Amino acid sequence: MPEQHADGGPIVPPLLAVCAAELLERVDALADDLFREITTEIAPYARLSDEIMADVRDFNERNLREQLTCMAHHRPVRTDITRQSVRRRATQGIPLDAVLHAFLIGYRLVADALIDRAKKRPGTTMDDIAQASLAVWSLLDAASRTVNDVYRDTLVGLARADELQRLLLLDALLTGKTADWATLGGTAVSLGLPEQGPYVCVVADHGDVAAMEQAMLRGGLRSAWRPRPDGLAGVVALPDPTPVPGRAHPSGLAAVLDVVGTAVTGRAGLSPAYTPLRESADALRLATLARASLPVGTHRAVTLDHDPAAALVAAGPDLALRLALTVLDPVLAAPDRKDLMETLTAWLDSDTGSTTEIAEILYCHRNTVRNRLDRVSRLTGRSLLRPADVAALYAGVRALGLRPR
């Protein structure tokens, strides 16, 4: 076994140190042999470009020289070149098992050469040979751990770099910074989206990016998501096999609504479909408006056409609230304001305006509903038979429902 240096690095026995010094004189030939065996035995290496193959040959020689030099000078065996080489191969997409195989070939070649020289030295015993063999394979074991650790760390780093690049691209796209998008080499493919639309932008109150992406994938949808201080923003490719510019097949939008509605834990808004990806910033504003058309605390996903009046109210919330207070102030000042507002809201939300239906919802008599509605009409001076007055009351109720609680 090799000695263990204070800093943790192994030191080979004296016999191997002498043999390593002799091998340094023919390190070029060893590197050629190693390169030939690697590119013959390992398929991923055999398919590399000429440029990368030259890089592999260079690292082979440098690594052999570093390792043999450390052994020859009876110093802890360094791993600097090994680490550099593994990082390079990981970034070049060579599989981990192929990289480990290459190092196994290298250590096998060095072990054979060292043991062969050790056997030829006068006075060498079988015990010496056994100790030398154990030392070399202990070095291989340590190198294998280094290769595994460095390779995985490199992949983690690459994944983080890819994710950062993706987030930067999404930021540029969603904020309308077309110059930054172009500078960063932005494409739909770089975001994991199809090159052709239609797309839809989604804004959600809450949610986990990974969970949302998984939900989309389960629904057969491709998407890209960005965490934001107020939730999530994303671009989803609609599953329309024959997209028409600026339009999407209704079933595609319905599919996204269904998946988003199931995945979110709060409000979510979807933009209309759009085709040029560069229109994502405008789509984001519309998706944000769709979300804002829902009362706070709602768990639902909607488009702008779900409630156009509420969307208009949400577009100018301060003005809408001022108008709401002006229209509904007499009702809000009444002692029975809770009952009055509850009944008015139920009537405005009703599909039929039937007092019988509303009475069933509120668990009261239909005459009670009529009396409350008549009282709202008298207090506000608005007729529930005049469309303009109903629109004003509707906007007022929606504005009150959308204000922060």
Side-chain angles (χ1 to χ4, degrees), residues 322-334 337 341 344 348 376 379-380 382 392-400:
R322 182 181 292 273
L323 292 175
L325 294 175
T326 299
V327 172
L328 294 171
D329 186 60
V331 176
L332 297 174
R337 59 183 174 275
M341 288 300 300
L344 175 61
L348 291 171
V376 167
L379 287 171
T380 61
R382 306 276 176 172
L393 290 169
Y394 185 88
V397 169
R398 286 292 174 264
L400 291 175

PDB file of all heavy atoms in Angstrom, residues 322-334 337 341 344 348 376 379-380 382 392-400:
ATOM      1  N   ARG A 322     -62.403  53.953  -6.360  1.00  0.00           N
ATOM      2  CA  ARG A 322     -63.000  55.270  -6.050  1.00  0.00           C
ATOM      3  C   ARG A 322     -64.457  55.329  -6.549  1.00  0.00           C
ATOM      4  O   ARG A 322     -65.348  55.786  -5.845  1.00  0.00           O
ATOM      5  CB  ARG A 322     -62.168  56.375  -6.703  1.00  0.00           C
ATOM      6  CG  ARG A 322     -62.671  57.784  -6.411  1.00  0.00           C
ATOM      7  CD  ARG A 322     -61.801  58.794  -7.111  1.00  0.00           C
ATOM      8  NE  ARG A 322     -60.478  58.826  -6.529  1.00  0.00           N
ATOM      9  CZ  ARG A 322     -60.127  59.572  -5.492  1.00  0.00           C
ATOM     10  NH1 ARG A 322     -61.041  60.318  -4.882  1.00  0.00           N
ATOM     11  NH2 ARG A 322     -58.895  59.553  -5.022  1.00  0.00           N
ATOM     12  N   LEU A 323     -64.671  54.825  -7.782  1.00  0.00           N
ATOM     13  CA  LEU A 323     -66.021  54.814  -8.340  1.00  0.00           C
ATOM     14  C   LEU A 323     -66.931  53.877  -7.542  1.00  0.00           C
ATOM     15  O   LEU A 323     -68.112  54.162  -7.324  1.00  0.00           O
ATOM     16  CB  LEU A 323     -65.975  54.382  -9.807  1.00  0.00           C
ATOM     17  CG  LEU A 323     -65.310  55.377 -10.776  1.00  0.00           C
ATOM     18  CD1 LEU A 323     -65.227  54.772 -12.170  1.00  0.00           C
ATOM     19  CD2 LEU A 323     -66.094  56.689 -10.808  1.00  0.00           C
ATOM     20  N   ALA A 324     -66.345  52.737  -7.115  1.00  0.00           N
ATOM     21  CA  ALA A 324     -67.129  51.769  -6.338  1.00  0.00           C
ATOM     22  C   ALA A 324     -67.623  52.392  -5.047  1.00  0.00           C
ATOM     23  O   ALA A 324     -68.794  52.228  -4.654  1.00  0.00           O
ATOM     24  CB  ALA A 324     -66.280  50.539  -6.042  1.00  0.00           C
ATOM     25  N   LEU A 325     -66.734  53.095  -4.381  1.00  0.00           N
ATOM     26  CA  LEU A 325     -67.116  53.727  -3.114  1.00  0.00           C
ATOM     27  C   LEU A 325     -68.151  54.815  -3.341  1.00  0.00           C
ATOM     28  O   LEU A 325     -69.047  55.036  -2.511  1.00  0.00           O
ATOM     29  CB  LEU A 325     -65.878  54.292  -2.416  1.00  0.00           C
ATOM     30  CG  LEU A 325     -64.865  53.231  -1.947  1.00  0.00           C
ATOM     31  CD1 LEU A 325     -63.624  53.904  -1.382  1.00  0.00           C
ATOM     32  CD2 LEU A 325     -65.494  52.307  -0.913  1.00  0.00           C
ATOM     33  N   THR A 326     -68.037  55.513  -4.475  1.00  0.00           N
ATOM     34  CA  THR A 326     -69.015  56.554  -4.793  1.00  0.00           C
ATOM     35  C   THR A 326     -70.390  55.950  -5.035  1.00  0.00           C
ATOM     36  O   THR A 326     -71.410  56.440  -4.521  1.00  0.00           O
ATOM     37  CB  THR A 326     -68.571  57.329  -6.047  1.00  0.00           C
ATOM     38  OG1 THR A 326     -67.314  57.949  -5.795  1.00  0.00           O
ATOM     39  CG2 THR A 326     -69.604  58.393  -6.413  1.00  0.00           C
ATOM     40  N   VAL A 327     -70.427  54.855  -5.807  1.00  0.00           N
ATOM     41  CA  VAL A 327     -71.692  54.220  -6.154  1.00  0.00           C
ATOM     42  C   VAL A 327     -72.300  53.498  -4.956  1.00  0.00           C
ATOM     43  O   VAL A 327     -73.509  53.577  -4.705  1.00  0.00           O
ATOM     44  CB  VAL A 327     -71.493  53.236  -7.328  1.00  0.00           C
ATOM     45  CG1 VAL A 327     -72.760  52.410  -7.568  1.00  0.00           C
ATOM     46  CG2 VAL A 327     -71.109  53.991  -8.591  1.00  0.00           C
ATOM     47  N   LEU A 328     -71.489  52.785  -4.215  1.00  0.00           N
ATOM     48  CA  LEU A 328     -71.990  51.885  -3.173  1.00  0.00           C
ATOM     49  C   LEU A 328     -71.885  52.437  -1.762  1.00  0.00           C
ATOM     50  O   LEU A 328     -72.240  51.748  -0.806  1.00  0.00           O
ATOM     51  CB  LEU A 328     -71.228  50.551  -3.243  1.00  0.00           C
ATOM     52  CG  LEU A 328     -71.463  49.737  -4.515  1.00  0.00           C
ATOM     53  CD1 LEU A 328     -70.494  48.548  -4.572  1.00  0.00           C
ATOM     54  CD2 LEU A 328     -72.908  49.242  -4.584  1.00  0.00           C
ATOM     55  N   ASP A 329     -71.410  53.663  -1.626  1.00  0.00           N
ATOM     56  CA  ASP A 329     -71.212  54.226  -0.278  1.00  0.00           C
ATOM     57  C   ASP A 329     -72.482  54.184   0.581  1.00  0.00           C
ATOM     58  O   ASP A 329     -72.426  53.804   1.759  1.00  0.00           O
ATOM     59  CB  ASP A 329     -70.694  55.652  -0.383  1.00  0.00           C
ATOM     60  CG  ASP A 329     -70.348  56.224   0.990  1.00  0.00           C
ATOM     61  OD1 ASP A 329     -69.482  55.626   1.658  1.00  0.00           O
ATOM     62  OD2 ASP A 329     -70.964  57.234   1.384  1.00  0.00           O
ATOM     63  N   PRO A 330     -73.643  54.503   0.016  1.00  0.00           N
ATOM     64  CA  PRO A 330     -74.864  54.435   0.865  1.00  0.00           C
ATOM     65  C   PRO A 330     -75.158  53.025   1.357  1.00  0.00           C
ATOM     66  O   PRO A 330     -75.643  52.848   2.486  1.00  0.00           O
ATOM     67  CB  PRO A 330     -75.967  54.927  -0.076  1.00  0.00           C
ATOM     68  CG  PRO A 330     -75.263  55.751  -1.108  1.00  0.00           C
ATOM     69  CD  PRO A 330     -73.944  55.063  -1.318  1.00  0.00           C
ATOM     70  N   VAL A 331     -74.855  52.036   0.519  1.00  0.00           N
ATOM     71  CA  VAL A 331     -75.081  50.645   0.923  1.00  0.00           C
ATOM     72  C   VAL A 331     -74.081  50.250   2.003  1.00  0.00           C
ATOM     73  O   VAL A 331     -74.440  49.608   3.004  1.00  0.00           O
ATOM     74  CB  VAL A 331     -74.966  49.699  -0.295  1.00  0.00           C
ATOM     75  CG1 VAL A 331     -75.100  48.239   0.145  1.00  0.00           C
ATOM     76  CG2 VAL A 331     -76.017  50.043  -1.329  1.00  0.00           C
ATOM     77  N   LEU A 332     -72.841  50.651   1.814  1.00  0.00           N
ATOM     78  CA  LEU A 332     -71.784  50.287   2.766  1.00  0.00           C
ATOM     79  C   LEU A 332     -71.984  50.975   4.116  1.00  0.00           C
ATOM     80  O   LEU A 332     -71.458  50.511   5.134  1.00  0.00           O
ATOM     81  CB  LEU A 332     -70.410  50.643   2.186  1.00  0.00           C
ATOM     82  CG  LEU A 332     -70.019  49.907   0.898  1.00  0.00           C
ATOM     83  CD1 LEU A 332     -68.706  50.454   0.348  1.00  0.00           C
ATOM     84  CD2 LEU A 332     -69.896  48.413   1.166  1.00  0.00           C
ATOM     85  N   ALA A 333     -72.729  52.073   4.116  1.00  0.00           N
ATOM     86  CA  ALA A 333     -72.971  52.793   5.374  1.00  0.00           C
ATOM     87  C   ALA A 333     -74.211  52.269   6.093  1.00  0.00           C
ATOM     88  O   ALA A 333     -74.468  52.643   7.250  1.00  0.00           O
ATOM     89  CB  ALA A 333     -73.136  54.285   5.088  1.00  0.00           C
ATOM     90  N   ALA A 334     -74.986  51.414   5.447  1.00  0.00           N
ATOM     91  CA  ALA A 334     -76.227  50.913   6.046  1.00  0.00           C
ATOM     92  C   ALA A 334     -75.923  49.878   7.129  1.00  0.00           C
ATOM     93  O   ALA A 334     -74.928  49.144   7.050  1.00  0.00           O
ATOM     94  CB  ALA A 334     -77.106  50.293   4.963  1.00  0.00           C
ATOM     95  N   ARG A 337     -75.527  46.319   5.854  1.00  0.00           N
ATOM     96  CA  ARG A 337     -74.696  46.318   4.641  1.00  0.00           C
ATOM     97  C   ARG A 337     -74.228  44.918   4.245  1.00  0.00           C
ATOM     98  O   ARG A 337     -74.124  44.602   3.065  1.00  0.00           O
ATOM     99  CB  ARG A 337     -73.491  47.237   4.813  1.00  0.00           C
ATOM    100  CG  ARG A 337     -72.585  46.883   5.978  1.00  0.00           C
ATOM    101  CD  ARG A 337     -71.447  47.903   6.097  1.00  0.00           C
ATOM    102  NE  ARG A 337     -70.638  47.674   7.290  1.00  0.00           N
ATOM    103  CZ  ARG A 337     -70.955  48.160   8.494  1.00  0.00           C
ATOM    104  NH1 ARG A 337     -72.073  48.855   8.661  1.00  0.00           N
ATOM    105  NH2 ARG A 337     -70.183  47.920   9.530  1.00  0.00           N
ATOM    106  N   MET A 341     -74.976  43.626   0.533  1.00  0.00           N
ATOM    107  CA  MET A 341     -73.883  43.362  -0.407  1.00  0.00           C
ATOM    108  C   MET A 341     -73.864  41.897  -0.815  1.00  0.00           C
ATOM    109  O   MET A 341     -73.589  41.559  -1.983  1.00  0.00           O
ATOM    110  CB  MET A 341     -72.542  43.748   0.228  1.00  0.00           C
ATOM    111  CG  MET A 341     -72.327  45.244   0.344  1.00  0.00           C
ATOM    112  SD  MET A 341     -72.349  46.103  -1.255  1.00  0.00           S
ATOM    113  CE  MET A 341     -70.982  45.302  -2.089  1.00  0.00           C
ATOM    114  N   LEU A 344     -76.757  41.519  -3.350  1.00  0.00           N
ATOM    115  CA  LEU A 344     -76.431  42.179  -4.613  1.00  0.00           C
ATOM    116  C   LEU A 344     -75.385  41.382  -5.392  1.00  0.00           C
ATOM    117  O   LEU A 344     -75.529  41.190  -6.609  1.00  0.00           O
ATOM    118  CB  LEU A 344     -75.917  43.600  -4.348  1.00  0.00           C
ATOM    119  CG  LEU A 344     -75.430  44.379  -5.580  1.00  0.00           C
ATOM    120  CD1 LEU A 344     -76.570  44.558  -6.587  1.00  0.00           C
ATOM    121  CD2 LEU A 344     -74.846  45.730  -5.168  1.00  0.00           C
ATOM    122  N   LEU A 348     -75.842  39.685  -9.086  1.00  0.00           N
ATOM    123  CA  LEU A 348     -74.962  40.021 -10.213  1.00  0.00           C
ATOM    124  C   LEU A 348     -74.250  38.780 -10.755  1.00  0.00           C
ATOM    125  O   LEU A 348     -73.959  38.692 -11.952  1.00  0.00           O
ATOM    126  CB  LEU A 348     -73.927  41.065  -9.780  1.00  0.00           C
ATOM    127  CG  LEU A 348     -74.471  42.462  -9.484  1.00  0.00           C
ATOM    128  CD1 LEU A 348     -73.390  43.332  -8.849  1.00  0.00           C
ATOM    129  CD2 LEU A 348     -75.008  43.124 -10.763  1.00  0.00           C
ATOM    130  N   VAL A 376     -81.253  48.246  -2.027  1.00  0.00           N
ATOM    131  CA  VAL A 376     -80.019  48.663  -2.700  1.00  0.00           C
ATOM    132  C   VAL A 376     -80.335  49.701  -3.762  1.00  0.00           C
ATOM    133  O   VAL A 376     -79.636  50.727  -3.893  1.00  0.00           O
ATOM    134  CB  VAL A 376     -79.316  47.439  -3.346  1.00  0.00           C
ATOM    135  CG1 VAL A 376     -78.213  47.893  -4.303  1.00  0.00           C
ATOM    136  CG2 VAL A 376     -78.736  46.528  -2.283  1.00  0.00           C
ATOM    137  N   LEU A 379     -81.184  53.064  -2.020  1.00  0.00           N
ATOM    138  CA  LEU A 379     -80.011  53.697  -1.399  1.00  0.00           C
ATOM    139  C   LEU A 379     -79.059  54.290  -2.431  1.00  0.00           C
ATOM    140  O   LEU A 379     -78.485  55.365  -2.214  1.00  0.00           O
ATOM    141  CB  LEU A 379     -79.268  52.665  -0.533  1.00  0.00           C
ATOM    142  CG  LEU A 379     -79.928  52.264   0.785  1.00  0.00           C
ATOM    143  CD1 LEU A 379     -79.202  51.077   1.413  1.00  0.00           C
ATOM    144  CD2 LEU A 379     -79.930  53.450   1.765  1.00  0.00           C
ATOM    145  N   THR A 380     -78.883  53.594  -3.535  1.00  0.00           N
ATOM    146  CA  THR A 380     -77.900  54.035  -4.544  1.00  0.00           C
ATOM    147  C   THR A 380     -78.512  54.919  -5.615  1.00  0.00           C
ATOM    148  O   THR A 380     -77.794  55.617  -6.344  1.00  0.00           O
ATOM    149  CB  THR A 380     -77.262  52.822  -5.238  1.00  0.00           C
ATOM    150  OG1 THR A 380     -78.291  52.064  -5.910  1.00  0.00           O
ATOM    151  CG2 THR A 380     -76.535  51.939  -4.246  1.00  0.00           C
ATOM    152  N   ARG A 382     -79.903  53.715  -8.160  1.00  0.00           N
ATOM    153  CA  ARG A 382     -79.646  52.987  -9.408  1.00  0.00           C
ATOM    154  C   ARG A 382     -80.745  51.954  -9.628  1.00  0.00           C
ATOM    155  O   ARG A 382     -81.088  51.189  -8.733  1.00  0.00           O
ATOM    156  CB  ARG A 382     -78.301  52.256  -9.332  1.00  0.00           C
ATOM    157  CG  ARG A 382     -77.133  53.141  -8.963  1.00  0.00           C
ATOM    158  CD  ARG A 382     -76.559  53.844 -10.153  1.00  0.00           C
ATOM    159  NE  ARG A 382     -75.489  54.764  -9.782  1.00  0.00           N
ATOM    160  CZ  ARG A 382     -74.721  55.400 -10.666  1.00  0.00           C
ATOM    161  NH1 ARG A 382     -74.904  55.198 -11.954  1.00  0.00           N
ATOM    162  NH2 ARG A 382     -73.789  56.218 -10.254  1.00  0.00           N
ATOM    163  N   ALA A 392     -72.718  49.876 -13.569  1.00  0.00           N
ATOM    164  CA  ALA A 392     -72.028  50.638 -12.525  1.00  0.00           C
ATOM    165  C   ALA A 392     -71.978  49.842 -11.225  1.00  0.00           C
ATOM    166  O   ALA A 392     -70.949  49.805 -10.531  1.00  0.00           O
ATOM    167  CB  ALA A 392     -72.732  51.975 -12.314  1.00  0.00           C
ATOM    168  N   LEU A 393     -73.083  49.206 -10.886  1.00  0.00           N
ATOM    169  CA  LEU A 393     -73.124  48.396  -9.669  1.00  0.00           C
ATOM    170  C   LEU A 393     -72.181  47.190  -9.788  1.00  0.00           C
ATOM    171  O   LEU A 393     -71.477  46.842  -8.828  1.00  0.00           O
ATOM    172  CB  LEU A 393     -74.553  47.923  -9.397  1.00  0.00           C
ATOM    173  CG  LEU A 393     -75.555  49.002  -8.971  1.00  0.00           C
ATOM    174  CD1 LEU A 393     -76.972  48.461  -8.998  1.00  0.00           C
ATOM    175  CD2 LEU A 393     -75.197  49.526  -7.575  1.00  0.00           C
ATOM    176  N   TYR A 394     -72.195  46.581 -10.967  1.00  0.00           N
ATOM    177  CA  TYR A 394     -71.316  45.416 -11.176  1.00  0.00           C
ATOM    178  C   TYR A 394     -69.854  45.820 -11.022  1.00  0.00           C
ATOM    179  O   TYR A 394     -69.078  45.130 -10.338  1.00  0.00           O
ATOM    180  CB  TYR A 394     -71.551  44.842 -12.574  1.00  0.00           C
ATOM    181  CG  TYR A 394     -70.781  43.567 -12.855  1.00  0.00           C
ATOM    182  CD1 TYR A 394     -71.327  42.333 -12.528  1.00  0.00           C
ATOM    183  CD2 TYR A 394     -69.521  43.590 -13.428  1.00  0.00           C
ATOM    184  CE1 TYR A 394     -70.635  41.155 -12.759  1.00  0.00           C
ATOM    185  CE2 TYR A 394     -68.816  42.430 -13.668  1.00  0.00           C
ATOM    186  CZ  TYR A 394     -69.375  41.214 -13.333  1.00  0.00           C
ATOM    187  OH  TYR A 394     -68.675  40.053 -13.563  1.00  0.00           O
ATOM    188  N   ALA A 395     -69.469  46.934 -11.647  1.00  0.00           N
ATOM    189  CA  ALA A 395     -68.082  47.398 -11.539  1.00  0.00           C
ATOM    190  C   ALA A 395     -67.725  47.705 -10.093  1.00  0.00           C
ATOM    191  O   ALA A 395     -66.612  47.405  -9.630  1.00  0.00           O
ATOM    192  CB  ALA A 395     -67.888  48.639 -12.410  1.00  0.00           C
ATOM    193  N   GLY A 396     -68.688  48.297  -9.357  1.00  0.00           N
ATOM    194  CA  GLY A 396     -68.427  48.614  -7.961  1.00  0.00           C
ATOM    195  C   GLY A 396     -68.204  47.374  -7.119  1.00  0.00           C
ATOM    196  O   GLY A 396     -67.273  47.304  -6.296  1.00  0.00           O
ATOM    197  N   VAL A 397     -69.048  46.365  -7.292  1.00  0.00           N
ATOM    198  CA  VAL A 397     -68.901  45.118  -6.532  1.00  0.00           C
ATOM    199  C   VAL A 397     -67.590  44.430  -6.872  1.00  0.00           C
ATOM    200  O   VAL A 397     -66.888  43.935  -5.985  1.00  0.00           O
ATOM    201  CB  VAL A 397     -70.101  44.185  -6.803  1.00  0.00           C
ATOM    202  CG1 VAL A 397     -69.839  42.799  -6.244  1.00  0.00           C
ATOM    203  CG2 VAL A 397     -71.377  44.763  -6.205  1.00  0.00           C
ATOM    204  N   ARG A 398     -67.249  44.398  -8.162  1.00  0.00           N
ATOM    205  CA  ARG A 398     -65.993  43.749  -8.580  1.00  0.00           C
ATOM    206  C   ARG A 398     -64.790  44.505  -8.010  1.00  0.00           C
ATOM    207  O   ARG A 398     -63.822  43.905  -7.568  1.00  0.00           O
ATOM    208  CB  ARG A 398     -65.904  43.665 -10.095  1.00  0.00           C
ATOM    209  CG  ARG A 398     -66.815  42.614 -10.698  1.00  0.00           C
ATOM    210  CD  ARG A 398     -66.343  41.212 -10.302  1.00  0.00           C
ATOM    211  NE  ARG A 398     -67.277  40.181 -10.756  1.00  0.00           N
ATOM    212  CZ  ARG A 398     -68.231  39.640 -10.027  1.00  0.00           C
ATOM    213  NH1 ARG A 398     -68.413  40.055  -8.767  1.00  0.00           N
ATOM    214  NH2 ARG A 398     -69.018  38.703 -10.510  1.00  0.00           N
ATOM    215  N   ALA A 399     -64.826  45.821  -8.036  1.00  0.00           N
ATOM    216  CA  ALA A 399     -63.709  46.615  -7.513  1.00  0.00           C
ATOM    217  C   ALA A 399     -63.496  46.340  -6.022  1.00  0.00           C
ATOM    218  O   ALA A 399     -62.359  46.213  -5.545  1.00  0.00           O
ATOM    219  CB  ALA A 399     -63.954  48.097  -7.754  1.00  0.00           C
ATOM    220  N   LEU A 400     -64.591  46.245  -5.262  1.00  0.00           N
ATOM    221  CA  LEU A 400     -64.474  45.947  -3.838  1.00  0.00           C
ATOM    222  C   LEU A 400     -63.914  44.535  -3.620  1.00  0.00           C
ATOM    223  O   LEU A 400     -63.142  44.293  -2.692  1.00  0.00           O
ATOM    224  CB  LEU A 400     -65.835  46.073  -3.153  1.00  0.00           C
ATOM    225  CG  LEU A 400     -66.398  47.485  -3.047  1.00  0.00           C
ATOM    226  CD1 LEU A 400     -67.795  47.447  -2.465  1.00  0.00           C
ATOM    227  CD2 LEU A 400     -65.492  48.370  -2.195  1.00  0.00           C
TER     228      LEU A 400
END
